[in-house]
Short mmCIF file of all heavy atoms in Angstrom, two decimals:
data_model
loop_
_atom_site.label_atom_id
_atom_site.label_comp_id
_atom_site.label_asym_id
_atom_site.label_seq_id
_atom_site.Cartn_x
_atom_site.Cartn_y
_atom_site.Cartn_z
N VAL S 1 0.85 -1.19 -0.02
CA VAL S 1 -0.01 0.04 0.00
C VAL S 1 0.87 1.24 -0.02
O VAL S 1 1.73 1.42 0.86
CB VAL S 1 -0.94 0.03 1.25
CG1 VAL S 1 -1.69 1.31 1.30
CG2 VAL S 1 -1.87 -1.20 1.18
N HIS S 2 0.66 2.09 -0.96
CA HIS S 2 1.37 3.39 -1.06
C HIS S 2 0.57 4.47 -0.36
O HIS S 2 -0.56 4.69 -0.78
CB HIS S 2 1.69 3.76 -2.49
CG HIS S 2 2.26 5.07 -2.62
ND1 HIS S 2 3.53 5.39 -2.23
CD2 HIS S 2 1.72 6.26 -3.10
CE1 HIS S 2 3.75 6.69 -2.43
NE2 HIS S 2 2.67 7.22 -2.95
N VAL S 3 1.07 5.06 0.65
CA VAL S 3 0.41 6.08 1.37
C VAL S 3 1.20 7.38 1.22
O VAL S 3 2.43 7.38 1.54
CB VAL S 3 0.24 5.73 2.89
CG1 VAL S 3 -0.45 6.79 3.62
CG2 VAL S 3 -0.50 4.45 3.04
N PRO S 4 0.57 8.46 0.73
CA PRO S 4 1.31 9.68 0.61
C PRO S 4 1.91 10.17 1.92
O PRO S 4 1.34 9.93 3.01
CB PRO S 4 0.24 10.70 0.14
CG PRO S 4 -0.82 9.86 -0.41
CD PRO S 4 -0.78 8.53 0.29
N ALA S 5 3.02 10.90 1.85
CA ALA S 5 3.74 11.31 3.01
C ALA S 5 2.84 12.30 3.85
O ALA S 5 2.99 12.30 5.12
CB ALA S 5 5.04 12.03 2.59
N ALA S 6 1.98 13.01 3.24
CA ALA S 6 1.12 13.95 4.00
C ALA S 6 0.12 13.20 4.87
O ALA S 6 -0.38 13.69 5.87
CB ALA S 6 0.32 14.86 3.03
N VAL S 7 -0.19 11.96 4.49
CA VAL S 7 -1.18 11.17 5.23
C VAL S 7 -0.52 10.22 6.26
O VAL S 7 -1.02 10.02 7.33
CB VAL S 7 -2.08 10.34 4.22
CG1 VAL S 7 -3.02 9.43 5.01
CG2 VAL S 7 -2.81 11.26 3.29
N ALA S 8 0.61 9.68 5.88
CA ALA S 8 1.27 8.68 6.71
C ALA S 8 1.96 9.33 7.98
O ALA S 8 2.52 10.38 7.84
CB ALA S 8 2.32 7.93 5.95
N ALA S 9 1.78 8.68 9.08
CA ALA S 9 2.47 9.05 10.30
C ALA S 9 3.85 8.40 10.36
O ALA S 9 4.10 7.47 9.57
CB ALA S 9 1.64 8.63 11.50
N PRO S 10 4.78 8.85 11.13
CA PRO S 10 6.03 8.19 11.23
C PRO S 10 5.89 6.72 11.58
O PRO S 10 5.09 6.33 12.40
CB PRO S 10 6.80 8.93 12.47
CG PRO S 10 5.99 10.16 12.66
CD PRO S 10 4.58 9.98 12.06
N GLN S 11 6.68 5.89 10.86
CA GLN S 11 6.54 4.46 10.96
C GLN S 11 7.45 3.93 12.07
O GLN S 11 8.48 4.50 12.37
CB GLN S 11 6.96 3.79 9.68
CG GLN S 11 5.99 4.11 8.60
CD GLN S 11 6.20 3.27 7.29
OE1 GLN S 11 7.07 2.47 7.30
NE2 GLN S 11 5.41 3.48 6.30
N GLU S 12 7.04 2.82 12.62
CA GLU S 12 7.80 2.14 13.64
C GLU S 12 8.84 1.25 13.05
O GLU S 12 9.15 1.32 11.82
CB GLU S 12 6.86 1.38 14.59
CG GLU S 12 5.85 2.21 15.27
CD GLU S 12 4.84 1.33 16.10
OE1 GLU S 12 4.91 0.09 15.97
OE2 GLU S 12 3.99 1.95 16.71
N ALA S 13 9.50 0.40 13.80
CA ALA S 13 10.59 -0.43 13.30
C ALA S 13 10.09 -1.36 12.22
O ALA S 13 10.84 -1.68 11.34
CB ALA S 13 11.20 -1.19 14.47
N ASP S 14 8.88 -1.88 12.27
CA ASP S 14 8.35 -2.78 11.30
C ASP S 14 7.96 -1.98 10.06
O ASP S 14 7.02 -1.25 10.04
CB ASP S 14 7.21 -3.56 11.87
CG ASP S 14 6.69 -4.65 10.91
OD1 ASP S 14 7.38 -4.89 9.85
OD2 ASP S 14 5.60 -5.21 11.17
N SER S 15 8.70 -2.18 8.97
CA SER S 15 8.47 -1.39 7.74
C SER S 15 7.21 -1.90 7.00
O SER S 15 6.79 -1.18 6.09
CB SER S 15 9.67 -1.38 6.83
OG SER S 15 9.89 -2.77 6.41
N ARG S 16 6.64 -3.04 7.34
CA ARG S 16 5.49 -3.52 6.65
C ARG S 16 4.20 -2.96 7.20
O ARG S 16 3.20 -3.04 6.55
CB ARG S 16 5.46 -4.99 6.72
CG ARG S 16 6.59 -5.68 5.95
CD ARG S 16 6.55 -7.15 6.04
NE ARG S 16 5.18 -7.69 6.03
CZ ARG S 16 4.88 -8.92 6.33
NH1 ARG S 16 5.83 -9.82 6.58
NH2 ARG S 16 3.64 -9.32 6.29
N THR S 17 4.18 -2.37 8.33
CA THR S 17 2.99 -1.79 8.95
C THR S 17 2.91 -0.34 8.61
O THR S 17 3.85 0.48 8.73
CB THR S 17 3.07 -1.91 10.50
OG1 THR S 17 3.24 -3.30 10.84
CG2 THR S 17 1.80 -1.37 11.10
N VAL S 18 1.72 0.11 8.10
CA VAL S 18 1.55 1.50 7.70
C VAL S 18 0.59 2.11 8.70
O VAL S 18 -0.46 1.60 8.98
CB VAL S 18 0.90 1.54 6.27
CG1 VAL S 18 0.67 2.98 5.91
CG2 VAL S 18 1.83 0.91 5.30
N HIS S 19 0.92 3.27 9.15
CA HIS S 19 0.12 4.02 10.08
C HIS S 19 -0.47 5.26 9.36
O HIS S 19 0.31 6.02 8.76
CB HIS S 19 0.87 4.45 11.33
CG HIS S 19 1.43 3.26 12.07
ND1 HIS S 19 0.66 2.55 12.99
CD2 HIS S 19 2.62 2.69 12.07
CE1 HIS S 19 1.33 1.59 13.46
NE2 HIS S 19 2.52 1.62 13.00
N VAL S 20 -1.74 5.47 9.47
CA VAL S 20 -2.38 6.49 8.75
C VAL S 20 -3.09 7.39 9.79
O VAL S 20 -3.75 6.92 10.70
CB VAL S 20 -3.42 6.04 7.66
CG1 VAL S 20 -4.14 7.17 7.05
CG2 VAL S 20 -2.76 5.13 6.68
N ASP S 21 -2.93 8.66 9.59
CA ASP S 21 -3.56 9.59 10.52
C ASP S 21 -5.07 9.61 10.34
O ASP S 21 -5.54 9.76 9.21
CB ASP S 21 -3.03 11.03 10.22
CG ASP S 21 -3.55 12.08 11.24
OD1 ASP S 21 -3.96 11.67 12.36
OD2 ASP S 21 -3.54 13.27 10.86
N GLU S 22 -5.77 9.30 11.40
CA GLU S 22 -7.26 9.21 11.31
C GLU S 22 -7.87 10.53 10.82
O GLU S 22 -8.82 10.51 10.02
CB GLU S 22 -7.82 8.88 12.72
CG GLU S 22 -8.66 7.67 12.78
CD GLU S 22 -9.14 7.40 14.14
OE1 GLU S 22 -10.16 8.06 14.61
OE2 GLU S 22 -8.52 6.59 14.79
N ALA S 23 -7.34 11.67 11.28
CA ALA S 23 -7.91 12.94 10.87
C ALA S 23 -7.74 13.21 9.42
O ALA S 23 -8.63 13.78 8.78
CB ALA S 23 -7.23 14.04 11.73
N ALA S 24 -6.64 12.74 8.82
CA ALA S 24 -6.44 12.89 7.39
C ALA S 24 -7.45 12.11 6.63
O ALA S 24 -8.01 12.54 5.65
CB ALA S 24 -5.00 12.52 7.04
N LEU S 25 -7.72 10.84 7.07
CA LEU S 25 -8.69 10.01 6.37
C LEU S 25 -10.12 10.60 6.50
O LEU S 25 -10.88 10.60 5.53
CB LEU S 25 -8.68 8.58 6.93
CG LEU S 25 -7.57 7.69 6.37
CD1 LEU S 25 -7.69 6.33 7.01
CD2 LEU S 25 -7.75 7.55 4.85
N ILE S 26 -10.44 11.10 7.67
CA ILE S 26 -11.73 11.68 7.86
C ILE S 26 -11.86 12.94 6.95
O ILE S 26 -12.91 13.17 6.40
CB ILE S 26 -11.95 12.05 9.30
CG1 ILE S 26 -12.09 10.74 10.15
CG2 ILE S 26 -13.14 12.93 9.53
CD1 ILE S 26 -12.11 10.97 11.62
N GLY S 27 -10.85 13.70 6.87
CA GLY S 27 -10.86 14.85 5.93
C GLY S 27 -11.06 14.53 4.49
O GLY S 27 -11.91 15.12 3.79
N VAL S 28 -10.38 13.41 4.06
CA VAL S 28 -10.54 12.99 2.67
C VAL S 28 -12.00 12.48 2.47
O VAL S 28 -12.60 12.79 1.44
CB VAL S 28 -9.55 11.89 2.37
CG1 VAL S 28 -9.87 11.15 1.05
CG2 VAL S 28 -8.12 12.40 2.30
N LEU S 29 -12.55 11.75 3.44
CA LEU S 29 -13.87 11.24 3.33
C LEU S 29 -14.88 12.39 3.28
O LEU S 29 -15.87 12.34 2.51
CB LEU S 29 -14.23 10.26 4.42
CG LEU S 29 -13.57 8.88 4.32
CD1 LEU S 29 -13.84 8.11 5.57
CD2 LEU S 29 -14.13 8.15 3.11
N LYS S 30 -14.67 13.45 4.07
CA LYS S 30 -15.56 14.58 4.07
C LYS S 30 -15.56 15.27 2.73
O LYS S 30 -16.57 15.70 2.20
CB LYS S 30 -15.22 15.52 5.18
CG LYS S 30 -15.71 15.06 6.54
CD LYS S 30 -15.37 16.08 7.63
CE LYS S 30 -15.82 15.57 8.97
NZ LYS S 30 -15.56 16.47 10.11
N ARG S 31 -14.30 15.47 2.17
CA ARG S 31 -14.17 16.14 0.85
C ARG S 31 -14.94 15.28 -0.22
O ARG S 31 -15.59 15.84 -1.10
CB ARG S 31 -12.77 16.34 0.48
CG ARG S 31 -12.10 17.49 1.32
CD ARG S 31 -10.77 17.94 0.66
NE ARG S 31 -9.84 16.85 0.56
CZ ARG S 31 -8.94 16.52 1.46
NH1 ARG S 31 -8.92 17.17 2.62
NH2 ARG S 31 -8.06 15.53 1.26
N LEU S 32 -14.81 13.91 -0.16
CA LEU S 32 -15.45 13.12 -1.12
C LEU S 32 -16.99 13.22 -0.95
O LEU S 32 -17.70 13.19 -1.95
CB LEU S 32 -15.00 11.68 -0.95
CG LEU S 32 -13.65 11.36 -1.54
CD1 LEU S 32 -13.23 9.93 -1.22
CD2 LEU S 32 -13.68 11.48 -3.05
N GLU S 33 -17.42 13.25 0.29
CA GLU S 33 -18.86 13.34 0.54
C GLU S 33 -19.39 14.67 -0.04
O GLU S 33 -20.46 14.72 -0.68
CB GLU S 33 -19.13 13.26 2.02
CG GLU S 33 -20.62 13.25 2.38
CD GLU S 33 -20.83 13.06 3.84
OE1 GLU S 33 -19.86 12.97 4.57
OE2 GLU S 33 -22.03 13.04 4.23
N ILE S 34 -18.66 15.79 0.14
CA ILE S 34 -19.07 17.05 -0.38
C ILE S 34 -19.09 17.02 -1.92
O ILE S 34 -20.06 17.47 -2.54
CB ILE S 34 -18.15 18.19 0.11
CG1 ILE S 34 -18.36 18.35 1.63
CG2 ILE S 34 -18.36 19.48 -0.63
CD1 ILE S 34 -17.27 19.27 2.28
N ARG S 35 -18.10 16.42 -2.53
CA ARG S 35 -18.04 16.37 -3.95
C ARG S 35 -19.16 15.53 -4.52
O ARG S 35 -19.75 15.85 -5.49
CB ARG S 35 -16.69 15.75 -4.41
CG ARG S 35 -16.54 15.60 -5.88
CD ARG S 35 -16.44 16.99 -6.52
NE ARG S 35 -16.32 16.80 -7.98
CZ ARG S 35 -17.08 17.50 -8.86
NH1 ARG S 35 -17.95 18.35 -8.43
NH2 ARG S 35 -16.99 17.23 -10.13
N LEU S 36 -19.47 14.39 -3.77
CA LEU S 36 -20.59 13.54 -4.21
C LEU S 36 -21.90 14.29 -4.14
O LEU S 36 -22.73 14.22 -5.01
CB LEU S 36 -20.61 12.29 -3.34
CG LEU S 36 -21.74 11.32 -3.61
CD1 LEU S 36 -21.63 10.74 -5.05
CD2 LEU S 36 -21.66 10.18 -2.66
N GLY S 37 -22.03 15.10 -3.07
CA GLY S 37 -23.27 15.91 -2.99
C GLY S 37 -23.41 16.95 -4.13
O GLY S 37 -24.44 17.15 -4.62
N ASP S 38 -22.25 17.56 -4.51
CA ASP S 38 -22.27 18.46 -5.58
C ASP S 38 -22.66 17.81 -6.85
O ASP S 38 -23.50 18.28 -7.69
CB ASP S 38 -20.88 19.15 -5.80
CG ASP S 38 -20.55 20.02 -4.62
OD1 ASP S 38 -21.39 20.43 -3.82
OD2 ASP S 38 -19.33 20.40 -4.54
N ILE S 39 -22.16 16.59 -7.15
CA ILE S 39 -22.50 15.88 -8.33
C ILE S 39 -23.97 15.48 -8.37
O ILE S 39 -24.68 15.62 -9.34
CB ILE S 39 -21.57 14.61 -8.51
CG1 ILE S 39 -20.16 15.08 -8.76
CG2 ILE S 39 -22.11 13.76 -9.65
CD1 ILE S 39 -19.18 13.90 -8.77
N GLU S 40 -24.46 15.04 -7.20
CA GLU S 40 -25.92 14.70 -7.10
C GLU S 40 -26.79 15.96 -7.33
O GLU S 40 -27.80 15.84 -8.04
CB GLU S 40 -26.22 14.14 -5.74
CG GLU S 40 -25.70 12.69 -5.58
CD GLU S 40 -25.88 12.18 -4.16
OE1 GLU S 40 -26.15 13.04 -3.22
OE2 GLU S 40 -25.74 10.97 -3.98
N ASP S 41 -26.38 17.09 -6.81
CA ASP S 41 -27.15 18.29 -7.12
C ASP S 41 -27.17 18.68 -8.58
O ASP S 41 -28.12 19.11 -9.11
CB ASP S 41 -26.55 19.49 -6.28
CG ASP S 41 -26.86 19.36 -4.78
OD1 ASP S 41 -27.76 18.55 -4.42
OD2 ASP S 41 -26.17 20.01 -3.98
N GLN S 42 -26.01 18.50 -9.22
CA GLN S 42 -25.89 18.81 -10.67
C GLN S 42 -26.81 17.86 -11.47
O GLN S 42 -27.54 18.35 -12.36
CB GLN S 42 -24.52 18.63 -11.15
CG GLN S 42 -23.50 19.73 -10.72
CD GLN S 42 -22.08 19.46 -11.14
OE1 GLN S 42 -21.79 18.38 -11.70
NE2 GLN S 42 -21.18 20.33 -10.79
N VAL S 43 -26.93 16.62 -11.08
CA VAL S 43 -27.75 15.69 -11.74
C VAL S 43 -29.22 16.02 -11.55
O VAL S 43 -30.02 16.02 -12.42
CB VAL S 43 -27.47 14.20 -11.33
CG1 VAL S 43 -28.55 13.27 -11.82
CG2 VAL S 43 -26.07 13.82 -11.79
N ARG S 44 -29.58 16.35 -10.28
CA ARG S 44 -30.96 16.71 -9.96
C ARG S 44 -31.41 17.96 -10.68
O ARG S 44 -32.56 18.10 -11.10
CB ARG S 44 -31.07 16.89 -8.47
CG ARG S 44 -31.58 15.68 -7.74
CD ARG S 44 -31.93 15.96 -6.31
NE ARG S 44 -31.25 14.98 -5.48
CZ ARG S 44 -30.29 15.24 -4.61
NH1 ARG S 44 -29.95 16.48 -4.41
NH2 ARG S 44 -29.73 14.35 -3.91
N HIS S 45 -30.49 18.96 -10.79
CA HIS S 45 -30.87 20.26 -11.38
C HIS S 45 -30.62 20.36 -12.89
O HIS S 45 -30.83 21.40 -13.49
CB HIS S 45 -30.19 21.33 -10.62
CG HIS S 45 -30.64 21.50 -9.21
ND1 HIS S 45 -29.95 20.87 -8.20
CD2 HIS S 45 -31.72 22.06 -8.65
CE1 HIS S 45 -30.56 21.16 -7.00
NE2 HIS S 45 -31.61 21.82 -7.26
N SER S 46 -30.11 19.24 -13.48
CA SER S 46 -29.87 19.29 -14.88
C SER S 46 -31.23 19.34 -15.62
O SER S 46 -32.24 18.72 -15.13
CB SER S 46 -29.02 18.12 -15.42
OG SER S 46 -29.79 16.95 -15.25
#
């Protein structure tokens, strides 16, 4: 799994374990939800 540096937290000794900042994932999900809402509005108002 490739995780961008802006999202990944510092890794521990095990290089196979990826740690992701929860707040970053929540932010990405919120942006996707907003974008999805915008697209739904465009479809409804077309």
Side-chain angles (χ1 to χ4, degrees):
V1 175
H2 172 70
V3 180
V7 176
Q11 296 188 359
E12 296 174 358
D14 185 8
S15 64
R16 292 179 37 192
T17 303
V18 178
H19 298 280
V20 178
D21 183 24
E22 235 179 83
L25 278 178
I26 291 171
V28 169
L29 286 173
K30 283 183 181 180
R31 286 194 304 272
L32 282 173
E33 186 177 0
I34 290 169
R35 180 67 183 132
L36 179 61
D38 291 344
I39 292 171
E40 287 174 345
D41 288 343
Q42 288 174 356
V43 169
R44 266 191 230 113
H45 294 96
S46 67

